[in-house]
Amino acid sequence: MKSITPLYKPLALAVGLALASSTAVAGDDLESLRQTVAQLQKQLAEVQKKLEEQEKQAATTHEEVKKVAEVAASADEWKAPSTLVHMAGYADVGYVSSEGSDGSFIVGTFAPIFHFQYRDLVMLESELEVEVEPDGTAEVGLEYLTVDWFVNDYMAVVAGRFLSPLGQFRQNLHPSWINKIASAPPGFGHDGAAPTSETGMQLRGGFPLGAMRANYAVYVGNGPELNAATEDMENFELEGVRAEGFGNDRDGNKVFGGRFGLLPMPGLELGISAATGKARVTALEIEAAGGDEGKNEPGEAGGFDYFDEADRDYSVYGFDFNFSYRSLNIRGEYVNTEVGEATTGLTASEGASWSSWYTQASWRFLPGKWEAVARYSDFDAAVNSRDQKQWALGLNYLYTSNFMAKFSYEFNDGMAGSEADEDRLLMQLAYGF
Amino acid sequence: MKARNGLILALGLQALLLMLAGTVQAFDYPETGDFARGSKIWADNCSRCHNIRSASELRDDQWLTTSFHMRVRAGLTGQETRDVLTFLQRSNVPLKKIVADTPSTASTGRSGEAIYKETCIACHGADGKGAFPGVPDFTRKDGRLSKSDAELLKNVSNGVQSPGSPMAMPPKGGNLELTETDVRNVISYLRQQFGQ
């Protein structure tokens, strides 16, 4: 109503002027003026009515906006639904050049991780691993797939195919955005001294221990399978342990193991790991004198059949530590895998052992964006051609905490003429998401 | 024989799971944890394996899933997980461009030292030198404490991104209950404890 008031002023002025001049005008003029005033009054009434309608409409709109705002403020169910879906993971690309071959650009790994969580009861976790092969094809693997049941505050049951809980590198450090050197320490990659995956069930958790903290993982799983090799089908030797989470327990013997970690103070963790069980040769490589090689899987030629092979003793033990103080991090790990002898079966032979250790120091400098890394590793395999001592030096630039450029150089010392003896330059862009 | 052993093992596992099921603790989801404990657990544990990641990198609901994933990976207890989640979600606040909207002169009644030990110590360390790379060193002569009280008050109240730090300090260190008087008390404590 207030907004209409100013309109009365010119109207009053017009009326006043009309009245003041009424004595000087003729009757027709007066009638004309009356008609004009009446018309103005009519128009004013219409304007007033429209304004009142607009004010009512504005009030209604205001109420509606207020209601929408209230509903929007309370509509927070998306923030905490019972079921959550989340994707994380990591990827890396880079360039590798070694003494024995020309340099090549490579796509290291694309590893998406999927999380499906129902409240605080259960989570399904799965990591795929996509790698581009030298021939341009892509290979897809299932790194792990587990159902994690959060039983109580101190225990989770983790069932399925999981990363080996023995030691630290395989279960926590191998993603490229976490590993500070652009390669795994010798013996801690696939087919090395340390088991990579297991299929079975484990119990994991943590608990306070006085002023200290502790964590644990114990598991039972299908266990590994063994590779044997021969040149003459008379003498055999163990060549490798494949501990990669087989989905079928072909030897029928389970492996039991676990790790216990102690954190006596912030920044320091000490861990011990062990596993024991049985394993059987399930693949035989026939290394012909001419250099041709063949691998005989069950039921193939060569008289080899894993059903006839003996179950061998299998054991793993290891230690690890990790220490951080501000910009400095020092960590190390040792793992030893022993396989016993077999006196029966086609590949009957002596036992063998694989061991490896590494220690690594890293330091962040120049307000935390640059990182210098030095790592020493010593891998002692059952086959001498795979033995390797390595110094790896690295310089990393951290664009963010989870995106970095890595420049690494490996000084390798292995059997002369073997790949294990070739120095390598590695450059890598790694992104954890 | 092996089949019988396998059966015994499977039955044993089933029995174990049923036994464990009886001990399931029901907690409201997601139950709020303790901010101060969470900040300390976050600072002490995450950098055991990887670089510290800023609370602003993920949405609150993404932190929920990530925290449970890390519970399994890092061997955290359920309570530690909830504490860290609370710290990350409360710290996941955008930096303000103006001084706090409703400055209050009232105090929560806690001393600057108490507030520092609850809210600040996880990142800035007991000695004020920074608990991990990129966190400013309060003891440096030309460091943060060389700035005026007004500027420090603005930075603490609104949050600030330090060059090289993996994470921007959220407004009031993520503890939005702090009043202006509390922040002034903390600044006084910093000058008294770490100033040159």
Side-chain angles (χ1 to χ4, degrees), chain A residues 86 115 117 120 123 125 144 152-153 178 204 206 213 251 269 311 322 326 331 364 367 398 401-402, chain B residues 2 24 27 29 45 48-49 51-53 65-66 68-69 71-73 75 77-78 80 82 127 130 164:
Chain A
H86 178 229
H115 295 138
Q117 180 180 0
D120 49 7
M123 173 184 275
E125 297 189 76
Y144 63 82
N152 58 39
D153 267 6
I178 296 176
R204 294 179 69 101
R213 296 176 55 245
D251 63 17
E269 179 172 7
D311 293 335
N322 174 32
R326 292 200 179 114
R331 63 169 66 249
R364 297 262 296 270
L398 283 66
S401 295
N402 53 333
Chain B
K2 283 181 182 172
V24 170
F27 10 76
Y29 166 85
N45 285 277
R48 273 162 48 199
C49 294
N51 298 321
I52 287 282
R53 296 182 71 167
T65 316
T66 302
F68 276 79
H69 164 71
R71 173 184 165 177
V72 177
R73 280 279 169 279
T77 67
E80 289 169 335
R82 293 189 289 275
D127 57 5

Side-chain angles (χ1 to χ4, degrees), chain A residues 78-290:
Chain A
W78 67 272
K79 294 177 183 171
S82 290
T83 299
L84 288 168
V85 180
H86 178 229
M87 191 175 90
Y90 60 94
D92 59 86
V93 297
Y95 181 86
V96 178
S97 177
S98 66
E99 286 181 313
S101 61
D102 295 329
S104 300
F105 288 100
I106 59 166
V107 173
T109 304
F110 170 53
I113 301 172
F114 302 93
H115 295 138
F116 301 86
Q117 180 180 0
Y118 180 77
R119 298 175 66 86
D120 49 7
L121 180 68
V122 66
M123 173 184 275
L124 185 147
E125 297 189 76
S126 181
E127 177 182 328
L128 301 180
E129 192 173 72
V130 184
E131 292 183 337
V132 175
E133 298 298 302
D135 64 1
T137 59
E139 184 175 294
V140 182
L142 183 66
E143 187 80 348
Y144 63 82
L145 188 154
T146 60
V147 173
D148 307 343
W149 171 29
F150 301 104
V151 178
N152 58 39
D153 267 6
Y154 306 101
M155 181 183 290
V157 174
V158 177
R161 182 179 190 178
F162 45 82
L163 298 172
S164 172
L166 305 179
Q168 287 256 7
F169 189 84
R170 286 313 307 175
Q171 61 173 330
N172 285 335
L173 306 176
H174 80 277
S176 51
W177 76 277
I178 296 176
N179 187 9
K180 295 178 185 300
I181 294 284
S183 62
F188 288 86
H190 292 272
D191 202 16
T196 54
S197 304
E198 182 60 274
T199 301
M201 181 178 287
Q202 63 173 321
L203 305 178
R204 294 179 69 101
F207 54 90
L209 200 63
M212 301 184 289
R213 296 176 55 245
N215 55 62
Y216 67 92
V218 293
Y219 73 91
V220 54
N222 291 336
E225 296 184 2
L226 307 175
N227 285 1
T230 182
E231 290 184 354
D232 52 14
M233 294 302 289
E234 289 183 2
N235 299 300
F236 298 85
E237 64 178 357
L238 288 174
E239 194 161 84
V241 179
R242 290 171 291 139
E244 303 193 354
F246 291 99
N248 183 9
D249 190 5
R250 295 205 283 186
D251 63 17
N253 292 294
K254 300 292 177 284
V255 166
F256 300 84
R259 176 180 178 274
F260 177 76
L262 182 68
L263 292 85
M265 54 186 266
L268 177 64
E269 179 172 7
L270 307 169
I272 56 171
S273 305
T276 184
K278 298 278 186 184
R280 184 186 296 187
V281 173
T282 58
L284 173 63
E285 289 183 24
I286 302 172
E287 300 169 345

Side-chain angles (χ1 to χ4, degrees), chain A residues 296-377:
Chain A
N296 285 312
E297 293 287 349
E300 293 189 3
F304 170 75
D305 192 327
Y306 78 88
F307 284 110
D308 299 330
E309 295 299 310
D311 293 335
R312 299 170 182 246
D313 291 334
Y314 168 77
S315 65
V316 182
Y317 65 89
F319 315 95
D320 60 84
F321 77 95
N322 174 32
F323 175 69
S324 296
Y325 181 71
R326 292 200 179 114
S327 301
L328 177 69
N329 176 266
I330 301 173
R331 63 169 66 249
E333 196 165 340
Y334 172 83
V335 64
N336 180 284
T337 297
E338 300 270 356
V339 174
E341 65 172 1
T343 55
T344 61
L346 178 69
T347 66
S349 60
E350 293 181 343
S353 68
W354 294 257
S355 66
S356 187
W357 66 273
Y358 74 88
T359 185
Q360 173 182 290
S362 60
W363 179 57
R364 297 262 296 270
F365 59 99
L366 289 180
K369 287 290 185 186
W370 288 93
E371 184 175 54
V373 192
R375 184 182 74 196
Y376 181 78
S377 317

Side-chain angles (χ1 to χ4, degrees), chain B:
Chain B
M1 189 65 174
K2 283 181 182 172
R4 197 178 69 181
N5 289 342
L7 182 64
I8 291 171
L9 178 65
L11 289 174
L13 287 171
Q14 290 283 358
L16 177 64
L17 293 181
L18 287 172
M19 192 171 66
L20 292 173
T23 67
V24 170
Q25 303 291 310
F27 10 76
D28 293 334
Y29 166 85
E31 185 182 84
T32 303
D34 184 275
F35 176 91
R37 278 202 314 258
S39 67
K40 189 166 185 338
I41 294 163
W42 172 80
D44 288 347
N45 285 277
C46 302
S47 59
R48 273 162 48 199
C49 294
H50 57 75
N51 298 321
I52 287 282
R53 296 182 71 167
S54 170
S56 63
E57 283 191 21
L58 300 175
R59 293 195 314 259
D60 284 0
D61 59 312
Q62 293 173 320
W63 275 125
L64 200 157
T65 316
T66 302
S67 296
F68 276 79
H69 164 71
M70 290 314 304
R71 173 184 165 177
V72 177
R73 280 279 169 279
L76 301 176
T77 67
Q79 186 59 54
E80 289 169 335
T81 305
R82 293 189 289 275
D83 292 342
V84 171
L85 178 61
T86 298
F87 165 73
L88 288 168
Q89 290 182 332
R90 285 198 191 163
S91 301
N92 197 4
V93 181
L95 303 184
K96 292 183 181 178
K97 291 183 178 160
I98 54 171
V99 176
D101 300 330
T102 53
S104 167
T105 53
S107 168
T108 56
R110 284 169 290 178
S111 67
E113 180 181 2
I115 294 168
Y116 182 83
K117 289 180 177 173
E118 285 172 9
T119 305
C120 319
I121 199 169
C123 298
H124 291 286
D127 57 5
K129 293 184 175 181
F132 45 80
V135 180
D137 181 352
F138 288 146
T139 65
R140 283 182 53 170
K141 194 172 182 180
D142 58 347
R144 284 287 181 278
L145 297 186
S146 64
K147 298 180 183 301
S148 68
D149 277 4
E151 189 164 358
L152 290 176
L153 176 66
K154 188 180 82 170
N155 287 344
V156 177
S157 300
N158 302 340
V160 64
Q161 173 67 63
S162 298
S165 175
M167 170 177 171
M169 185 179 81
K172 299 176 181 176
N175 187 352
L176 299 179
E177 294 173 358
L178 297 181
T179 66
E180 183 181 320
T181 303
D182 291 330
V183 175
R184 288 185 185 281
N185 289 343
V186 172
I187 293 170
S188 296
Y189 173 74
L190 295 180
R191 292 203 185 285
Q192 176 193 340
Q193 194 72 9
F194 309 122
Q196 295 293 312

